[in-house]
Amino acid sequence: DTGVSQDPRHKITKRGQNVTFRCDPISEHNRLYWYRQTLGQGPEFLTYFQNEAQLEKSRLLSDRFSAERPKGSFSTLEIQRTEQGDSAMYLCASSLVIAGRAGTVKNIQYFGAGTRLSVL
Amino acid sequence: DQQVKQNSPSLSVQEGRISILNCDYTNSMFDYFLWYKKYPAEGPTFLISISSIKDKNEDGRFTVFLNKSAKHLSLHIVPSQPGDSAVYFCAASGFWLTGGGNKLTFGTGTQLKVEL
């Protein structure tokens, strides 16, 4: 299977605990994105990486959230001191974007199955 | 500030008929649009996309239409099949024309139910 994989699929934690999620993108993809989805909403952008560089962070990403992509391959998303409002589906996506080739790149992002976080 | 809107939370269609899902956007910087399908407990699956230099793109049973002046796009599914029953998300991104492509902004989704 060469799709985007996320681990774990489900995580239940108590308020105040730290959690870490992992995402393995499609191997040749240079961009990796994190989104969060709550019930009745579409996915909301959190942050993205071009190779190992984190290029943009949403205002949704409070200082309790940190994401890394140390070698430009897999990524981790850590939430410190979890709160009940952090309960959501965390989705990872990857894409291949070649800078400078205007109008030729299809910014199609391929998503993993997500990690469902429940904070009790 | 909902920049991508899907005003119909649900749609019910009979098998074999056409399904039309609608999406409106407000941000003029969006120049690339995508439709995703999502089943429960799975991530969104890419269906079809269209760039701002086109007004129509077709892929099998799926056709996406873009009306830039109205900032409106629609997804047509013909003929509809029971396996098409899912939540459909419209998404938009910017900077495609400049060779970039970045985050996607999603609508809230439309639940399609195709009945026998």
Side-chain angles (χ1 to χ4, degrees):
Chain A
D1 184 12
T2 57
V4 177
S5 63
Q6 293 187 246
D7 184 70
R9 291 293 307 276
H10 303 277
K11 178 71 177 178
I12 300 173
T13 191
K14 292 183 179 178
R15 187 163 49 101
Q17 298 293 305
N18 299 343
V19 294
T20 301
F21 311 140
R22 177 179 169 122
C23 172
D24 287 89
I26 294 171
S27 59
E28 64 267 27
H29 285 183
N30 56 354
R31 288 208 174 173
L32 186 149
Y33 308 78
W34 285 99
Y35 292 83
R36 181 175 72 184
Q37 185 177 18
T38 53
L39 196 62
Q41 301 296 316
E44 295 174 289
F45 170 77
L46 292 177
T47 187
Y48 85 94
F49 294 83
Q50 168 99 4
N51 299 314
E52 64 274 10
Q54 190 173 16
L55 295 187
E56 186 174 350
K57 292 194 287 188
S58 160
R59 289 171 296 176
L60 293 175
L61 214 66
S62 76
D63 56 6
R64 296 185 298 106
F65 287 70
S66 62
E68 294 183 345
R69 195 182 182 198
K71 296 183 180 179
S73 56
F74 74 92
S75 174
T76 57
L77 177 68
E78 181 183 16
I79 309 174
Q80 295 183 328
R81 305 180 303 281
T82 52
E83 301 173 356
Q84 288 183 325
D86 297 331
S87 295
M89 174 75 83
Y90 289 84
L91 294 163
C92 175
S94 69
S95 70
L96 177 63
V97 175
I98 303 172
R101 295 178 59 185
T104 62
V105 173
K106 297 180 180 180
N107 184 24
I108 298 170
Q109 296 179 22
Y110 295 90
F111 284 81
T115 294
R116 180 165 294 285
L117 173 66
S118 297
V119 181
L120 304 178
Chain B
D1 176 25
Q2 193 73 23
Q3 298 185 68
V4 177
K5 299 177 185 178
Q6 293 178 258
N7 292 318
S8 298
S10 64
L11 175 67
S12 186
V13 171
Q14 282 195 317
E15 182 182 12
R17 306 295 288 268
I18 184 170
S19 295
I20 300 176
L21 296 99
N22 294 304
C23 177
D24 298 290
Y25 62 96
T26 58
N27 191 336
S28 299
M29 298 301 293
F30 289 149
D31 56 11
Y32 196 79
F33 305 89
L34 309 90
W35 284 94
Y36 285 84
K37 178 170 73 174
K38 188 179 185 302
Y39 294 118
E42 294 184 11
T45 302
F46 169 73
L47 270 179
I48 192 168
S49 63
I50 189 167
S51 67
S52 58
I53 61 173
K54 294 186 175 183
D55 54 20
K56 177 182 173 182
N57 189 27
E58 215 169 329
D59 184 1
R61 297 186 298 114
F62 302 92
T63 303
V64 56
F65 296 91
L66 175 62
N67 182 334
K68 289 187 291 295
S69 61
K71 293 191 176 68
H72 176 83
L73 62 156
S74 60
L75 174 68
H76 292 207
I77 307 173
V78 182
S80 300
Q81 300 173 352
D84 296 329
S85 297
V87 178
Y88 289 77
F89 289 100
C90 170
S93 74
F95 305 107
W96 177 82
L97 283 171
T98 53
N102 54 10
K103 64 186 178 186
L104 296 179
T105 300
F106 284 83
T108 52
T110 296
Q111 173 75 59
L112 174 65
K113 184 177 180 182
V114 180
E115 298 173 319
L116 298 171

